[in-house]
Amino acid sequence: MNNGTFRTITYSAIALAVAFGLSACSLEGDDGADGIDGAIGSQGPVGEQGPIGEQGPIGEQGPQGDAAGKLTRIATVPLGSEVTGIFLTDEGDLFFNVQHPSGANTQTNSVNDMPINTGTVGVLAGVNFNQLPATLPNSPVPSSDVEKELVVSAIGQYQILGQTGDTFGADLPEGLGHIYTLDGEELVLENDMPDFNGFITTAEGEGYLFSNWEELPGGMSRMKIKKDDLGMWQVTEAMMLDFSPVWGTAANCFGSMSPWNTPLTSEEWVVNSSVDSTTSPSWNDPVAVSTESRLGRMWEMTAPDVPNPYNYGYIAEVTEPLADSPVIVKHFAMGRYEHENSTVMPDGKTVYLSQDDTGGVLFKFIADTAEDLSAGTLYGAKLTQDLGQNDPATTGFSVEWVELASGDNLTIRAWIDEYNGLGTDDYVEGESSFITMADVQAWADGDTTYPTVEQGGSRITAGQPMDDRVAFLESRAAAKLKGATAEWRKLEGISINQKRAQEAVEGTDMIADEVVESAYLYIGIADIDNTMVDEEGDMQLSARVKDCGGVYRAKLEAGYDITRIEPVVMGGTYRSSLTGAERCDVSQLSQPDNVIVMNDGRILIGEDGFQENNTLWMYEPAQK
C-alpha cells in the first residue's frame, strides 16, 4: 500500500394474509314421536313495529391491532451476488453494492454498458428515496437469463460507480479493491467484495463516498462524486485509504456514519474464533501459517514483520475523512470480536454493536465523552425469552445489560503490544502465547493473578497480576462467562434513523409533518438456527424459519437504552425437503443482512441468501 492514498473508486407486500374461517351452525331439537302431518295454517297478520329505542352511549375504542406490514421488492442483484452497503443520504440518494457476483455474467448494464461480473459499487440513480410514493410496484423476480445477470429495479436505474480493478485513469494504477502489503510493494489479493457505503456531503449533489472492501486483509475506498441535473453521477477523484499506520485491517464489513460525520468501519473476521474459545494458538503455528489461506494472507500483508492477532477485530474510525491522507483510529475500548457494524445514538455516547458469528453477543458501549469513542464502558446483553413461546415470528426477549469493564485505547494498546513479535519460532505445541479460556475464566472468577502455563494460562501473562485485558481482547468469551447471552447466529446489520431516534427520545422536532413518538433499533439476522435453536441457554427458538432469517427491533427508551427485542418481520418457513433457492420463499425474506431505516419509518433490507437473485427489500412496519 502507498502511504497516503491507496486508490479510489467512483461505487407483499407482506400481505399477512389473515384467512377467516367461516363455519355454519345449525340447531336441532330432540326427536319426537312420529305423528301425522297436520295442515299448514294461515299466516297471521304482521304486527305493528314498536318504537325504536334510544341509542346507548358509544363505548371507548379498544386498542388498535397491528395491521400486516408490507414488503416491496425494490431491486434484485445479479447471479452469484448479495446486496451490501445500503446507504441513504439526506438528499435521498440510495447507494448499494453488488458483492462477489458470478464471473460468468456477460449481460451489460444499460447505464454503463458493462457487465456486473466483479465487485461493484453503485447507486439507484434518478430518484429521491426520501420522496417516494406511499406504494411502489414490486420489481419482478428475474425469469430470463438476461434479467438474472443484471440489477433489475422497481424504481431508478442502477448506475455503476466503480468495480474491482478500476484504475480511474492515473488515480488508481494498482486497481480498485486490490489489497497490497503494508509497504505498498506486493499485491496480496484482488478484492471483489465491496460492503459498507457511507457518504459525506460537501455541497448539494456532491460529496465523498466511502466503501468497505471485505476480505482478509481488508480495505476502504473513497471517491469524490457529483450528480448532474438528471440525477446521474460522475466520479471525479478516487483513492484507497492507507491502513498501514494501524497495521492493516481484517475484513472491513458493514459500517455506519457517526452523528459527527465520520465513517466507522468494522473488522469482522478474526481468524479461528469460535463460540467456546479465544484466539487460536495456531496463529503462529508454522503449519497453519503456510496452509490456511486467510491466515497466510495476514502474515503476507505484514511481512517481514510478524502480525499480532490483537491488532485486528475492532471498530475503526476515519477521524479526518476528507484530508489528503485520512486518519484512521482503531477503538480497542469497544471490544474485539467479529464486528458486523456499530451504530452510535444521537447522544454521541451510546453505541450498539453486532457480532456476526455463531454464538455471538449483542454489545453496548457507552463512551465517557460524547463524540469520543476512545474510552468508555463495554456491556453484553443478557436475554430472557418470552415464556410459553418459541416461534421466531412471535417470540421476543427482555434485555438486561451485563457490565464487562471500563477502558481506554491507550491502556489496551499497551496490553496488545505485549504480544508483538510472536513468530513461528515461538510456537509450542500444546501451549499458547495468546489469551486462553483459562485466563478468561480466572478474570470472570475474580482471581487476583493469571493462571500459570501448567494451569492452562498464556505464556505471556502467566502468574501476573490480573487486569481487564480479556474484556477488550476476547470480548465474546468474557461476556459469556459474565452471564451475557452468547447465542445469536449471524447477528448482522443494526441501524436506527438518527432523526427519528432523536425526536422520539429527546422530544426535538426532527421529522417534518410527522410527530415521532417511538423509534426503534433494527437488527438483521441472516440465520435463525444453530445456537438460537439448540434448546439450550437463553435462546430456544423453533427451527421453523431457520436459514430464511428475519429482522428484529428494539424500542429506544430514555437515555437511548433498550430493554426488549421483538421480531418485526420474518422469512417464510424453511423447507428442508427442497433444494437451492426454493428452501426459502422468493416472495419473503431470505437471509437478511444490511438494514437501513428511512426518514418515513420504512426500512430497507439487503439479502445475503441462497436465492438465485438476492433482493433489496423495502418493508413498511405496521407500527413505525
Side-chain angles (χ1 to χ4, degrees):
M1 294 183 184
N2 298 320
N3 285 338
T5 65
F6 262 20
R7 19 204 222 276
T8 2
I9 80 171
T10 293
Y11 244 73
S12 298
I14 283 183
L16 183 59
V18 179
F20 294 92
L22 303 177
S23 60
C25 297
S26 62
L27 299 175
E28 292 188 22
D30 294 335
D31 291 342
D34 293 338
I36 299 173
D37 291 341
I40 299 175
S42 301
Q43 180 174 317
V46 178
E48 295 182 3
Q49 180 173 318
I52 299 174
E54 295 183 3
Q55 179 173 317
I58 299 175
E60 295 183 5
Q61 181 173 321
Q64 181 178 353
D66 278 353
K70 180 181 178 183
L71 267 177
T72 301
R73 189 186 306 274
I74 297 297
T76 55
V77 293
L79 293 171
S81 61
E82 61 180 277
V83 181
T84 58
I86 311 170
F87 188 85
L88 182 60
T89 71
D90 288 339
E91 294 181 12
D93 301 298
L94 181 64
F95 298 96
F96 71 89
N97 303 333
V98 179
Q99 189 178 96
H100 57 65
S102 170
N105 293 338
T106 60
Q107 296 297 324
T108 57
N109 170 280
S110 61
V111 176
N112 304 81
D113 194 28
M114 58 179 61
I116 303 178
N117 54 16
T118 189
T120 300
V121 179
V123 59
L124 276 181
V127 60
N128 185 335
F129 268 76
N130 288 336
Q131 297 178 0
L132 290 182
T135 59
L136 285 174
N138 277 288
S139 179
V141 177
S143 57
S144 70
D145 291 340
V146 171
E147 290 179 338
K148 290 177 180 180
E149 294 188 7
L150 299 172
V151 173
V152 179
S153 61
I155 190 168
Q157 302 177 82
Y158 190 71
Q159 181 183 2
I160 297 171
L161 299 176
Q163 293 185 309
T164 300
D166 284 351
T167 60
F168 305 101
D171 282 351
L172 275 179
E174 299 90 353
L176 181 66
H178 291 182
I179 308 301
Y180 280 71
T181 53
L182 296 186
D183 60 12
E185 296 299 322
E186 300 293 334
L187 179 66
V188 179
L189 82 160
E190 299 178 0
N191 191 332
D192 70 343
M193 298 177 63
D195 205 306
F196 160 71
N197 289 310
F199 188 74
I200 297 178
T201 301
T202 54
E204 185 176 354
E206 66 178 64
Y208 289 89
L209 182 68
F210 294 80
S211 304
N212 279 348
W213 293 84
E214 182 190 7
E215 253 287 10
L216 272 177
M220 176 183 272
S221 58
R222 183 188 81 182
M223 67 180 144
K224 189 173 184 180
I225 56 178
K226 186 174 183 179
K227 183 170 57 174
D228 65 20
D229 293 340
L230 299 178
M232 308 306 291
W233 294 85
Q234 177 185 5
V235 178
T236 59
E237 297 176 12
M239 66 179 293
M240 291 292 288
L241 274 61
D242 181 9
F243 283 95
S244 60
V246 291
W247 318 279
T249 53
N252 300 62
C253 193
F254 199 39
S256 65
M257 295 296 295
S258 72
W260 51 97
N261 227 22
T262 57
L264 299 173
T265 180
S266 308
E267 294 186 285
E268 181 181 353
W269 302 344
V270 178
V271 176
N272 287 338
S273 179
S274 60
V275 66
D276 290 316
S277 70
T278 55
T279 295
S280 171
S282 67
W283 178 273
N284 64 339
D285 179 351
V287 175
V289 170
S290 63
T291 59
E292 295 179 15
S293 62
R294 290 181 174 178
L295 180 57
R297 289 201 297 266
M298 295 302 290
W299 276 69
E300 181 183 356
M301 179 183 68
T302 61
D305 294 334
V306 172
N308 181 339
Y310 299 119
N311 282 335
Y312 310 104
Y314 303 100
I315 296 297
E317 180 180 8
V318 186
T319 60
E320 297 182 29
L322 303 187
D324 290 341
S325 299
V327 176
I328 294 98
V329 176
K330 289 191 179 183
H331 290 305
F332 312 123
M334 299 174 79
R336 176 179 175 268
Y337 43 91
E338 295 85 342
H339 287 275
E340 176 71 18
N341 80 299
S342 61
T343 296
V344 185
M345 299 298 104
D347 63 359
K349 298 178 66 175
T350 306
V351 189
Y352 291 99
L353 310 104
S354 58
Q355 180 182 10
D356 183 0
D357 206 343
T358 299
V361 176
L362 176 65
F363 288 94
K364 179 171 71 171
F365 175 78
I366 299 182
D368 293 343
T369 305
E371 301 188 7
D372 180 359
L373 303 178
S374 66
T377 303
L378 188 63
Y379 301 82
K382 166 70 174 177
L383 307 181
T384 301
Q385 185 170 317
D386 290 347
L387 290 175
Q389 298 189 67
N390 71 359
D391 192 277
T394 61
T395 307
F397 304 88
S398 60
V399 180
E400 299 175 78
W401 292 102
V402 178
E403 182 174 336
L404 303 183
S406 298
D408 62 83
N409 287 349
L410 289 177
T411 300
I412 302 166
R413 177 72 253 173
W415 290 329
I416 294 171
D417 287 342
E418 294 181 22
Y419 302 88
N420 286 339
L422 294 172
T424 54
D425 292 342
D426 298 293
Y427 178 75
V428 177
E429 184 71 34
E431 297 182 3
S432 179
S433 296
F434 310 111
I435 296 171
T436 68
M437 283 302 297
D439 295 327
V440 182
Q441 186 68 64
W443 169 82
D445 291 343
D447 292 354
T448 58
T449 60
Y450 279 97
T452 65
V453 173
E454 292 73 22
Q455 294 170 322
S458 165
R459 293 163 59 200
I460 298 299
T461 55
Q464 292 186 9
M466 183 59 67
D467 51 37
D468 283 329
R469 73 180 66 194
V470 301
F472 302 103
L473 303 186
E474 298 292 355
S475 302
R476 171 172 47 190
K480 182 178 181 181
L481 291 187
K482 279 290 191 178
T485 300
E487 296 173 56
W488 290 99
R489 165 73 172 135
K490 290 189 69 62
L491 183 58
E492 301 280 1
I494 57 176
S495 178
I496 63 166
N497 181 280
Q498 290 282 335
K499 293 179 181 179
R500 297 182 71 85
Q502 187 172 350
E503 181 168 337
V505 175
E506 300 181 24
T508 52
D509 187 9
M510 302 296 294
I511 301 291
D513 303 322
E514 181 182 358
V515 176
V516 180
E517 296 180 345
S518 299
Y520 299 88
L521 174 80
Y522 283 86
I523 306 169
I525 305 293
D527 298 282
I528 301 178
D529 63 2
N530 205 299
T531 45
M532 294 180 71
V533 303
D534 60 2
E535 300 182 354
E536 297 179 359
D538 299 329
M539 306 184 86
Q540 298 186 30
L541 298 174
S542 78
R544 181 183 64 80
V545 172
K546 204 171 180 290
D547 293 342
C548 300
V551 176
Y552 288 86
R553 71 180 183 184
K555 184 178 180 180
L556 295 172
E557 302 176 4
Y560 295 99
D561 191 20
I562 64 172
T563 60
R564 180 165 175 79
I565 295 172
E566 298 178 326
V568 62
V569 56
M570 288 288 143
T573 297
Y574 181 82
R575 304 167 74 183
S576 57
S577 61
L578 301 177
T579 58
E582 294 180 338
R583 289 172 290 176
C584 292
D585 189 340
V586 71
S587 65
Q588 301 183 62
L589 293 183
S590 176
Q591 296 182 291
D593 193 329
N594 297 179
V595 181
I596 293 294
V597 187
M598 301 170 66
N599 286 344
D600 63 9
R602 290 183 283 189
I603 61 175
L604 296 169
I605 307 167
E607 286 184 345
D608 173 13
F610 38 66
Q611 293 295 346
E612 194 169 18
N613 294 93
N614 279 312
T615 292
L616 170 63
W617 294 101
M618 180 171 66
Y619 181 70
E620 181 169 9
Q623 293 184 349
K624 294 182 288 189

